[in-house]
């Protein structure tokens, strides 16, 4: 049965495919806003706190290298269970950390686990969802992560207010990971529900090879694959690397900014959670825009909005109304990010070769995650050398550069296709 002939509905995969992702991302969303605070409580400077927060993204980048091997060898569900267990170990290290260096190691381990968890779910959606639903399905997956990043900080804010302890937030991630393991063990495996993906047919009717041969290709030759697809990765890959960079800068810079203007931990988590609600509300609209009008109508407005938001933020730090500006810019950045939900995964699926997509997707994710890992390090460095306002301004300029690159290359590499559904 081909991918377009196989019956598909979001309802049929909602619990088994999306609920574990939601639970995992709730835990991750809970700890991200308080990482700089936890680092500061252990004696880290503002710049060092930003560097420690960047370990999530750096861990994801490093985790991309073995994640394809793990998923291909042990399967999607087992990979996700293992990733949840590794995340629990990382969070336990954070809970017991006597200094910020040990905290950094725990956060790095969480990033590695996140890479495996995310790749396993992305691989399933790419293999089983018909191409005519691709953008909506992948933007929904992106929306699930955003849903967790919305709910997690709100829970964190309530827990901090109730306990008076920042460290207590790490227990939210532990409970979320345990919940995702229970769901993965209790509910049917989506791969078994939809059957093996040994042969998949694209919209043009051409059969593509998947299964073990594709898994073996994913296991080996990441850098060889990058070299083979260097033309598209230099152009389109550089563009999405900037997309990932600006997004990850936002997840580090906004909590760090709250620390720099004196916001409390609970208020920081509450504001970031409310901004996450706006982000989450737009995920399906992003998929509809991409499927109906083309990928660039989601990607370019998103990057322009993110760039302008960071530029405005750069000039608001020393104003008497800095908190109000922080809230307003947080919401604006969430709108800009929300309308681009799923764009990196969707472009990767569009550009992947029809015969063996897995090696390309691994190289694509690595390119995007390189930008995601680099941006927080740049933010930390610029904060240490100049100021946090300067770091925000640089991120704003990079956002506008990314919008220009995508405007130049999306029409060339991903031309709009006629609607099929």
């Amino acid at each position: 049965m081909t991918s377009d002939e196989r019956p598909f509905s979001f309802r049929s995969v909602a619990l088994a495919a999306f609920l574990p992702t939601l639970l995992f991302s709730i835990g991750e969303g809970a700890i991200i806003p308080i990482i700089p605070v936890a680092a500061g409580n252990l004696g880290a400077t503002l710049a060092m706190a930003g560097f420690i927060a960047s370990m999530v993204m750096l861990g994801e980048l490093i985790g991309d290298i073995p994640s394809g091997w793990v998923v291909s060898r042990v399967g999607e569900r087992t990979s996700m269970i293992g990733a949840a267990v590794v995340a629990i170990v990382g969070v336990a290290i954070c809970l017991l950390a006597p200094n910020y260096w040990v905290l950094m190691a725990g956060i790095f381990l969480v990033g590695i686990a996140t890479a495996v968890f995310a790749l396993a779910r992305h691989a399933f959606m790419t293999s089983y969802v018909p191409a005519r639903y691709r953008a909506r399905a992948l933007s929904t997956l992106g929306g699930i992560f955003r849903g967790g990043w919305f709910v997690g900080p709100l829970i964190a804010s309530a827990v901090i207010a109730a306990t008076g302890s920042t460290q207590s937030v790490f227990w939210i991630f532990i409970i979320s990971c345990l919940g995702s393991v229970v769901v993965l063990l209790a509910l049917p495996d989506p791969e078994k529900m939809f059957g093996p993906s040994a042969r998949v047919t694209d919209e043009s009717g051409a059969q593509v090879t998947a299964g073990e041969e594709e898994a073996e290709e994913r296991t080996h030759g990441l850098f060889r694959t990058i070299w083979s697809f260097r033309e598209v990765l230099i152009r389109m890959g550089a563009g999405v690397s900037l997309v990932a960079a600006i997004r990850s800068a936002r997840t580090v810079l906004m909590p760090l900014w709250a620390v720099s203007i004196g916001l409390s931990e609970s208020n920081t988590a509450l504001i970031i959670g409310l901004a996450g609600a706006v982000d989450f509300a737009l995920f399906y609209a992003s998929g509809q825009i991409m499927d109906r009008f083309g990928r660039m109508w989601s990607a370019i407005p998103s990057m322009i909005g993110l760039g302008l938001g960071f530029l405005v933020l750069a000039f608001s730090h020393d104003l008497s109304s800095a908190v109000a500006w922080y809230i307003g810019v947080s919401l604006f950045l969430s709108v800009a990010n929300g309308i681009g939900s799923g764009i990196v995964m969707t472009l990767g699926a569009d550009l992947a070769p029809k015969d063996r997509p897995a090696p390309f997707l691994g190289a694509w994710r690595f390119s995007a995650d390189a930008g995601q890992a680099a941006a927080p390090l740049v933010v930390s460095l610029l904060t240490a050398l100049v100021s946090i306002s300067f770091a925000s301004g640089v991120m704003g300029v990079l956002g506008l550069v990314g919008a220009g690159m995508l405007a130049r290359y999306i029409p060339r590499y991903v031309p709009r296709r006629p609607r099929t559904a």
Side-chain angles (χ1 to χ4, degrees):
M1 183 178 292
T2 70
S3 63
D4 282 342
E5 291 170 350
R6 182 186 293 118
F8 175 83
S9 70
F10 287 114
R11 186 178 302 173
S12 65
V13 300
L15 284 178
F18 293 145
L19 183 56
T21 303
L22 176 61
L23 290 171
F24 188 92
S25 60
I26 285 174
E28 187 179 29
I31 70 168
I32 284 177
I34 60 92
I35 291 173
V37 178
N41 291 341
L42 292 172
T45 63
L46 187 64
M48 178 57 72
F51 179 74
I52 292 171
S54 74
M55 288 297 104
V56 175
M57 292 76 179
L58 186 60
E60 286 191 43
L61 176 65
I62 301 301
D64 281 338
I65 298 173
S67 61
W69 181 87
V70 172
V71 174
S72 66
R73 293 295 181 183
V74 304
E76 182 198 70
R77 180 161 66 169
T78 304
S79 298
M80 294 175 75
I81 292 172
V85 172
V86 172
I88 290 173
V89 173
V91 175
I93 292 173
C94 294
L95 272 170
L96 300 173
N99 54 62
Y100 58 77
W101 296 107
V102 177
L103 176 70
M104 183 168 62
I107 297 299
F108 180 76
L109 200 57
V110 168
I112 292 176
T114 301
V116 176
F117 200 99
L119 178 63
R121 189 50 80 218
H122 187 192
F124 168 78
M125 299 299 288
T126 299
S127 297
Y128 287 91
V129 175
R132 64 180 180 273
Y133 300 120
R134 178 178 292 156
R136 278 165 282 182
L138 291 175
S139 65
T140 298
L141 181 60
I144 293 299
F145 280 105
R146 285 165 165 77
W149 296 334
F150 149 51
V151 175
L154 296 181
I155 297 175
S157 178
V159 168
I160 293 171
T163 64
S165 171
T166 303
Q167 292 293 99
S168 61
V169 172
F170 289 111
W171 284 103
I172 300 172
F173 203 173
I174 292 175
I175 294 170
S176 297
C177 287
L178 291 174
S180 67
V181 170
V182 170
V183 170
L184 287 164
L185 292 174
L187 294 179
D189 187 345
E191 289 180 297
K192 293 180 180 178
M193 291 170 59
F194 286 84
S197 58
R199 304 291 295 183
V200 179
T201 304
D202 67 11
E203 287 179 320
S204 66
Q207 286 191 322
V208 298
T209 304
E212 292 187 5
E213 182 180 359
E214 186 172 290
E216 285 296 320
E217 294 245 0
R218 187 191 294 260
T219 302
H220 303 290
L222 171 64
F223 296 104
R224 184 173 67 244
T225 303
I226 291 174
W227 177 254
S228 298
F229 294 98
R230 59 190 179 277
E231 180 180 344
V232 67
L233 290 175
I234 288 173
R235 294 182 172 92
M236 285 293 294
V240 300
S241 182
L242 285 174
V243 173
I246 301 306
R247 287 176 171 178
S248 68
R250 170 174 167 257
T251 64
V252 171
L253 190 59
M254 298 313 287
L256 204 62
W257 196 278
V259 172
S260 72
I261 61 175
L263 276 175
S264 67
E265 296 96 322
S266 59
N267 285 337
T268 299
L270 178 61
I271 293 168
I272 291 176
L274 292 175
V278 176
D279 198 337
F280 172 66
L282 294 170
F283 75 86
Y284 196 72
S286 171
Q288 290 281 12
I289 291 169
M290 284 189 278
D291 275 341
R292 290 175 179 271
F293 304 110
R295 311 319 193 201
M296 65 186 300
W297 289 98
S298 172
I300 297 171
S302 175
M303 286 297 283
I304 291 175
L306 288 169
L308 293 177
F310 278 123
L311 287 173
V312 170
L313 188 68
F315 293 98
S316 70
H317 189 275
D318 297 324
L319 299 178
S320 59
S321 55
V323 174
W325 278 100
Y326 175 79
I327 296 172
V329 172
S330 294
L331 296 175
F332 180 80
L333 291 173
S334 294
V335 172
N337 196 52
I339 62 174
S341 176
I343 186 64
V344 174
M345 291 186 291
T346 301
L347 287 174
D350 289 339
L351 293 166
K354 301 303 180 185
D355 54 345
R356 291 188 179 94
F360 178 85
L361 286 177
W364 181 259
R365 289 183 65 90
F366 187 82
S367 299
D369 286 350
Q372 177 176 277
L377 298 177
V378 172
V379 168
S380 300
L381 180 63
L382 294 177
T383 299
L385 296 179
V386 188
S387 69
I388 193 172
S389 295
F390 184 78
S392 179
V394 169
M395 290 300 109
V397 171
L398 289 177
L400 297 180
V401 170
M405 292 186 68
L406 293 173
R408 170 68 177 84
Y409 292 117
I410 285 180
R412 174 177 173 180
Y413 288 98
V414 190
R416 180 184 171 191
R417 295 175 297 182
R419 287 185 61 199
T420 57

